[in-house]
Amino acid sequence: GGSTQSVTSELVARIRNDVGIEAMAHLTCVGHTGEELQAVLDRLRDLGIENILLLRGDPPRPAGSQSMPTFQPVPGGFRYASDLVSFVRERRTAQRWDFCIGGACYPEGHIDSSSRDEDLRNLTKKVEAGTEFLITQLFFDNAFYFDFVQRAQMSRVRVPIVRGIMPITSFEQVDRFTRLCGTTIPMRLRLQLERYQNEPDAVLELGVAHATVQCIELLQRGAPGIHFFTLNKSRATRMILSALRA
């Protein structure tokens, strides 16, 4: 909801400048006016941050709700990520911004889009507005990724499309996430997860094994990198990286 932007800016700067790891700040349209986002971007510029991921963001869900409410921008804010991208590009020179701009994409279609074709048209607008690379929403069947990349290229989307991987560490968590974002779990994988849902170590091992196989195929077939959604639980990601290096 925008309440942690200042803390996020400082943390990203520390990761980059003190730890020495290249970092990317994430900004959403949720709860922010254009003027407020401009101040955040000025701060990121002053802190030496060069990479930003611009997202619409998800509207806050009421406590206990199992569905995502309709997104409503604040007065003076932005309804779509493409609007935020255009905002940044238009002010690049005046504000001395030299960010590399990333965005999100949805191989199975955005949950708010009426069809995958509509979603792809919206993505094309976002790229034309100035998005320089894309990170996919999580998914668990590589066929969605390869089909999506082919369709995107046919729609003149020429920027790198980085594969987003979320290692499964909890059946309840992945079930909730997939319902909220509209992604699917292959039936064989779902049946295995349901079988071991009360055995955390077994679920972790299953999730790591599935993600490792995904990563191997993606990299072998030319995916331009992997983006891991660790959700503050790095063990699974570290296990996958160790398996890939082996």
Side-chain angles (χ1 to χ4, degrees):
S3 61
T4 62
Q5 290 285 19
S6 61
V7 177
T8 300
S9 300
E10 298 294 340
L11 181 59
V12 172
R14 288 184 60 192
I15 291 171
R16 183 182 189 276
N17 300 323
D18 298 346
V19 182
I21 298 173
E22 194 60 56
M24 177 167 60
H26 295 44
L27 276 75
T28 77
C29 301
V30 179
H32 281 299
T33 65
E35 186 175 303
E36 290 168 342
L37 284 168
Q38 179 170 306
V40 174
L41 289 159
D42 283 342
R43 179 63 176 155
L44 291 172
R45 175 203 61 205
D46 295 342
L47 291 168
I49 301 303
E50 299 174 345
N51 306 293
I52 54 175
L53 188 69
L54 301 182
L55 309 164
R56 188 201 70 176
D58 296 323
R61 281 187 300 132
S65 173
Q66 297 299 312
S67 60
M68 194 70 72
T70 302
F71 181 86
Q72 295 293 338
V74 299
F78 305 105
R79 181 174 294 276
Y80 303 111
S82 56
D83 297 332
L84 179 54
V85 174
S86 296
F87 175 84
V88 174
R89 294 284 294 190
E90 290 167 0
R91 287 159 178 75
R92 253 183 158 162
T93 301
Q95 300 301 126
R96 295 180 293 109
W97 293 337
D98 191 24
F99 300 115
C100 179
I101 300 173
C105 60
Y106 305 87
E108 297 183 62
H110 194 284
I111 195 168
D112 289 346
S113 293
S114 61
S115 68
R116 293 181 188 176
D117 288 340
E118 181 191 47
D119 182 61
L120 192 55
R121 288 193 293 271
N122 292 334
L123 177 66
T124 302
K125 292 178 184 177
K126 185 159 56 176
V127 171
E128 290 174 346
T131 303
E132 297 167 82
F133 67 95
L134 298 165
I135 298 174
T136 75
Q137 176 64 282
L138 61 95
F139 58 91
F140 301 99
D141 184 341
N142 287 350
F144 285 119
Y145 173 82
F146 295 118
D147 175 71
F148 172 73
V149 170
Q150 184 179 46
R151 291 189 297 112
Q153 291 174 344
M154 291 175 64
S155 295
R156 303 185 306 280
V157 174
R158 298 287 185 264
V159 300
I161 301 176
V162 178
R163 166 67 168 93
I165 288 278
M166 191 187 84
I168 297 171
T169 60
S170 162
F171 174 76
E172 292 78 9
Q173 181 187 63
V174 74
D175 185 57
R176 183 174 69 254
F177 272 32
T178 53
R179 282 188 285 106
L180 289 174
C181 65
T183 58
T184 55
I185 303 175
M187 184 55 64
R188 177 178 292 185
L189 177 59
R190 173 174 284 278
L191 291 174
Q192 291 176 306
L193 289 169
E194 290 176 348
R195 178 182 178 185
Y196 296 109
Q197 61 182 294
N198 296 318
E199 301 178 40
D201 289 341
V203 170
L204 176 65
E205 291 179 8
L206 180 61
V208 167
H210 183 82
T212 300
V213 171
Q214 278 192 280
C215 289
I216 290 172
E217 181 187 23
L218 289 161
L219 295 172
Q220 286 179 341
R221 293 182 58 178
I226 303 291
H227 176 93
F228 288 100
F229 300 103
T230 64
L231 305 178
N232 297 323
K233 297 179 180 179
S234 65
R235 182 186 175 195
T237 300
R238 289 185 283 115
M239 292 169 69
I240 295 166
L241 289 174
S242 295
L244 291 175
R245 291 187 178 119

